[in-house]
Structure formats: C-alpha cells, structure tokens
C-alpha cells in the first residue's frame, strides 16, 4: 500500500489526518498484513515509526515492512546489514546468509538465523530456535537437545517436515503454505502447532 503524505502541513497535523482516515476506513481494510510505501515528504526514522504506529492503532492493518524507494539508502542499508551479519557470524556462528538447496544441510550448536530460503530437500537442525528470514520448504529440527520450548519461525511457511525436540509433523511433498506471511511453529499439547506471527521476529531471538 502506498500512502501519500502532505508535505505542506505540520507533522502533528499529518498524524491526526492519518489517524482519522484509517479509523474511518478500518472496516474496509479489515485485519490484513501488508508492506507500506510512504511518499510525498522526507521522514526521519522516528517519524516513520510514528506514522506506522498511528496506522496500526487506528485500523486492523499489520505493517510487515516499509518499502524504501531511495536506491542509495537501500544500498547503504544493505551494506550495513552485511557488515553486521559478518560481525555476528564471527562472534557466534549463529547466522547463515544464503539459500539452502536440495541435499544441503545446516547444523547449529545453538539457535540459528538463516537469511535466505530453505528449499525443498534441504535440512536444518539446531539445539535452539530456527529463524528463517525467507521461505521454509525443506525439513527443520529445532531443540534437538530435547528443549520443547524451541520454536521455528519463517517468513513463508510451507515445510516438508518440522520437528521440535521429540515432537514432529510431516506436511507432505506438495509444499502447501500453512498461512500467509510470517508463521511460528511450536510444541502444543505434544504436537506441532503453527500460528501467524503477530509480533516482531527479533523479539523471539533468545539466541544462546
């Protein structure tokens, strides 16, 4: 969704207008998840946060991410992310960047964050949580040390198999999506349950 912001009014007036418009149209939008583009005026990071917060407080919209149309800023952010991931990987070995393809496997002695997709036929195992910032279409086993409180998170969840500690579930070979948007798998009544993720993924990253 693109939102055009009036460059002429004050920022507080802008927030009031956004609140009013999204409150009026809340029934039309319903409960949805979407990416957001802000156009019309330059905003600081704090102002962007306040705009997003105003939209979510006055509607059933969950903003998954902001899409930036400034190519230079995107490039700077990508370089900063790459540098940070390199630092973290050297310190902890708990981050992996790239896609895992059929026949490939990845193991972690702690929790692991994968920046990429786990394709059909690939496998990931970890003693802690498995966080996939991409598609999960392969097999994963979290909490292999026997920890049933471990979770599996993916931005798109269409797994072949999920195991957490001693509990497991096979989902078939068709790659059926378990829901729209980010999902979390966890142990529920001695079986694997999956639910939409309604809070920031990074709040779950109790990596150890």
């Amino acid at each position: 969704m693109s939102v055009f912001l009036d460059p002429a009014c004050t920022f507080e007036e802008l927030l009031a207008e956004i609140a009013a418009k999204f409150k009026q149209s809340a029934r039309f939008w319903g409960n949805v998840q979407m990416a957001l583009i802000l156009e019309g005026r330059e905003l600081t990071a704090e102002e962007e946060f306040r705009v997003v917060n105003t939209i979510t407080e006055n509607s059933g919209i969950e903003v998954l991410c902001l899409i930036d149309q400034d190519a230079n800023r995107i490039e700077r952010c990508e370089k900063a992310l790459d540098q940070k991931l390199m630092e973290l990987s050297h310190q902890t070995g708990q981050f992996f960047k790239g896609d895992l393809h059929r026949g490939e496997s990845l193991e972690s002695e702690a929790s692991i964050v994968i920046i990429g997709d786990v394709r059909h036929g690939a496998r990931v195992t970890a003693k802690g949580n498995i966080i996939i910032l991409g598609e999960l279409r392969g097999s994963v086993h979290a909490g292999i040390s026997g920890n049933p409180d471990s979770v599996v998170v993916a931005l798109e969840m269409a797994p072949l198999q999920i195991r957490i500690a001693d509990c497991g579930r096979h989902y078939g070979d068709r790659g059926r999506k378990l829901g729209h948007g980010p999902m979390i798998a966890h142990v529920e009544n001695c079986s694997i349950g999956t639910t939409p993720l309604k809070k920031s993924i990074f709040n779950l990253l109790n990596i150890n």
Side-chain angles (χ1 to χ4, degrees):
M1 177 176 63
S2 295
V3 177
F4 183 82
L5 307 176
D6 187 349
C9 65
T10 68
F11 184 70
E12 295 303 324
E13 290 173 337
L14 180 67
L15 288 182
E17 290 184 13
I18 291 173
K21 288 186 180 298
F22 277 89
K23 199 167 190 177
Q24 291 171 1
S25 60
R27 182 175 295 182
F28 170 79
W29 291 109
N31 296 318
V32 295
Q33 297 176 325
M34 60 176 60
L36 184 66
I37 299 174
L38 300 178
E39 300 180 272
R41 64 191 286 167
E42 292 187 3
L43 300 173
T44 65
E46 181 182 355
E47 288 173 337
E48 288 179 346
F49 174 80
R50 293 182 66 187
V51 169
V52 170
N53 199 44
T54 299
I55 292 173
T56 56
E57 284 182 347
N58 290 278
S59 68
I61 296 172
E62 180 183 358
V63 178
L64 297 177
C65 65
L66 281 174
I67 298 177
D68 198 333
Q69 295 182 310
D70 184 335
N72 291 329
R73 184 159 57 171
I74 292 171
E75 184 178 358
R76 291 196 301 271
C77 289
E78 288 177 345
K79 287 182 178 179
L81 176 60
D82 286 342
Q83 182 178 352
K84 186 62 176 176
L85 290 176
M86 287 296 293
E87 292 174 2
L88 289 169
S89 64
H90 285 308
Q91 294 169 5
T92 66
Q94 296 162 338
F95 283 76
F96 175 85
K97 185 177 181 183
D99 297 335
L100 290 174
H101 299 274
R102 177 182 292 273
E104 295 181 329
S105 62
L106 185 64
E107 298 180 4
S108 174
E109 290 296 311
S111 296
I112 188 165
V113 178
I114 298 171
I115 315 296
D117 298 332
V118 177
R119 304 286 177 80
H120 190 278
R123 180 175 178 81
V124 180
T125 59
K127 286 187 177 180
N129 306 321
I130 297 175
I131 313 296
I132 301 168
L133 303 184
E135 281 191 327
L136 168 58
R137 293 188 174 274
S139 301
V140 292
H141 189 173
I144 58 173
S145 58
N147 181 8
D149 294 326
S150 298
V151 298
V152 176
V153 173
L155 297 188
E156 292 290 344
M157 187 86 79
L160 177 64
Q161 184 183 52
I162 294 177
R163 289 186 62 81
I164 299 176
D166 297 326
C167 303
R169 183 172 178 181
H170 192 277
Y171 294 90
D173 298 324
R174 296 185 179 181
R176 180 177 60 86
K177 286 188 178 182
L178 303 185
H180 296 289
M183 301 285 291
I184 181 170
H186 52 91
V187 174
E188 182 178 344
N189 298 324
C190 299
S191 64
I192 303 296
T194 55
T195 55
L197 193 60
K198 293 298 183 182
K199 59 181 179 178
S200 172
I201 288 174
F202 295 98
N203 289 339
L204 296 168
L205 301 187
N206 182 22
I207 296 177
N208 49 53

